[in-house]
Amino acid sequence: MSQSLVDDPAEAALGLPRPVETGPEPDPGRRVGVRRLLRFVVRRPGLLLSVVVLVLVVLASFWPGLFTSQDPLKGVPAQNFRGPSAHHWFGTDELGRDVFSRVVHGAQLSLKATLIAVLVAFVVGGLLGVVAGFVGRWVDDVLMRFVDVLLSIPALFMSLALVTALGYGTVKVAVAVGIASVAAFARVARSEVLRVRQAVFVEASRASGARWYSVLGRHVLPNAAGPVIVLATLDFGSSILAVSALSFLGYGAPPPAPEWGTLISEGRNYLANAWWLTALPGLAIAATVLATNRIARALDGEWSRQR
């Protein structure tokens, strides 16, 4: 038997108890960080409301059954054009379908398209910016001139041109919106990589003989990712507007799919006698965009200054 498992004779003679081993204590730094984050959010009612709105939209997009049990595609013609009430929170449309259930289920389509658009812009634009900033020389010149061409074209016009070439549908609209946002991500990623590449710790890592991919993965990318992530949060709201605009124009999923832009497009024909068909889905879009912009502003400025 190992000596560490045998009681010390002196301790046994004195009747002293053996120390009880305990598991690792929780990291106090992590607890302090969580408390600081909660305090930061609670002290800002607008930010707290924005977080709640965004959480509700995410829950509606993944689990719409939490908010409504009604079928968004099934209508009751006898109940058409009913105003907002306790039974139909957002009223009913021209076919007697519950508008609230259509908005809730439409969050899944709109948020899916928005996530794809932001992911395309983040990956493609970030890759272009990292390569241009890290490699430099003629590669930087060629990539940045391409980015300048993209910046010279209005994003909505480019999205329209791309979706016309790709075809109609939610995913194609998302890809078109994402490609139209690539230039902004490329510019921000390049500027951050150039800033970090000239830092003293990066030069020291190179001088110590580290490989280029080690310098890029361990030093440059982690320190340059922050502003790009904040831009992705800001672009989330812009992408919701762009996806909804293209759906409003008829480039999204075909009816009766309840995309947010499609709901507004269908309701504009009945503004005189059924204002809720356009106003309430538009309010959902506006609340989501404002919430994401408020969170992005908090991440970009307020939280950084507090840290």
Side-chain angles (χ1 to χ4, degrees):
M1 182 179 295
S2 175
Q3 188 175 358
S4 61
L5 300 179
V6 180
D7 292 335
D8 189 355
E11 293 181 355
L14 295 175
L16 297 177
R18 297 186 62 186
V20 179
E21 295 184 359
T22 59
E25 296 183 359
D27 186 7
R30 181 177 301 177
R31 293 201 304 266
V32 172
V34 173
R35 284 199 298 267
R36 283 185 59 200
L37 178 61
L38 292 176
R39 193 182 309 117
F40 174 80
V41 174
V42 170
R43 287 180 177 177
R44 291 162 175 80
L47 179 59
L48 181 60
L49 179 62
S50 300
V51 172
V52 171
V53 169
L54 194 59
V55 168
L56 290 177
V57 171
V58 172
L59 289 176
S61 62
F62 286 99
W63 298 284
L66 293 175
F67 300 91
T68 178
S69 60
Q70 301 194 44
D71 188 350
L73 305 180
K74 183 180 179 181
V76 181
Q79 297 183 2
N80 63 336
F81 293 125
R82 297 292 176 89
S85 62
H87 187 62
H88 301 286
W89 290 2
F90 285 8
T92 60
D93 61 6
E94 70 278 7
L95 298 179
R97 296 173 296 192
D98 184 68
V99 178
F100 178 74
S101 66
R102 288 177 65 77
V103 171
V104 169
H105 286 269
Q108 183 176 17
L109 294 173
S110 297
L111 192 64
K112 170 187 172 183
T114 303
L115 290 175
I116 294 174
V118 173
L119 185 63
V120 169
F122 183 85
V123 173
V124 177
L127 183 61
L128 290 176
V130 168
V131 172
F134 193 76
V135 177
R137 299 188 297 275
W138 64 269
V139 176
D140 184 17
D141 294 335
V142 171
L143 291 179
M144 286 302 102
R145 298 300 76 77
F146 173 70
V147 170
D148 290 340
V149 172
L150 294 180
L151 286 173
S152 65
I153 306 173
L156 185 58
F157 289 167
M158 182 180 294
S159 300
L160 284 171
L162 290 172
V163 78
T164 302
L166 295 173
Y168 297 0
T170 302
V171 176
K172 294 175 182 178
V173 165
V175 172
V177 172
I179 294 176
S181 304
V182 161
F185 282 85
R187 279 291 184 184
V188 173
R190 174 181 177 271
S191 64
E192 288 300 309
V193 169
L194 288 175
R195 179 185 63 82
V196 176
R197 194 181 65 175
Q198 299 172 359
V200 176
F201 62 89
V202 175
E203 296 294 337
S205 179
R206 285 178 172 175
S208 63
R211 301 281 185 176
W212 65 268
Y213 50 82
S214 177
V215 174
L216 179 64
R218 296 181 60 184
H219 301 293
V220 175
L221 290 182
N223 289 281
V228 185
I229 294 175
V230 173
L231 178 61
T233 310
L234 278 172
D235 190 66
F236 190 86
S238 302
S239 297
I240 291 177
L241 289 177
V243 169
S244 300
L246 293 177
S247 299
F248 177 85
L249 296 174
Y251 292 101
E259 277 189 337
W260 284 352
T262 306
L263 294 179
I264 298 177
S265 177
E266 293 174 349
R268 62 178 173 167
N269 300 321
Y270 308 99
L271 280 174
N273 63 330
W275 56 269
W276 56 88
L277 297 182
T278 299
L280 296 181
L283 183 62
I285 295 174
T288 306
V289 172
L290 291 175
T292 55
N293 288 345
R294 180 65 183 89
I295 294 172
R297 191 170 75 249
L299 292 176
D300 187 26
E302 299 171 18
W303 177 251
S304 301
R305 286 195 297 269
Q306 274 214 351
R307 295 181 65 186

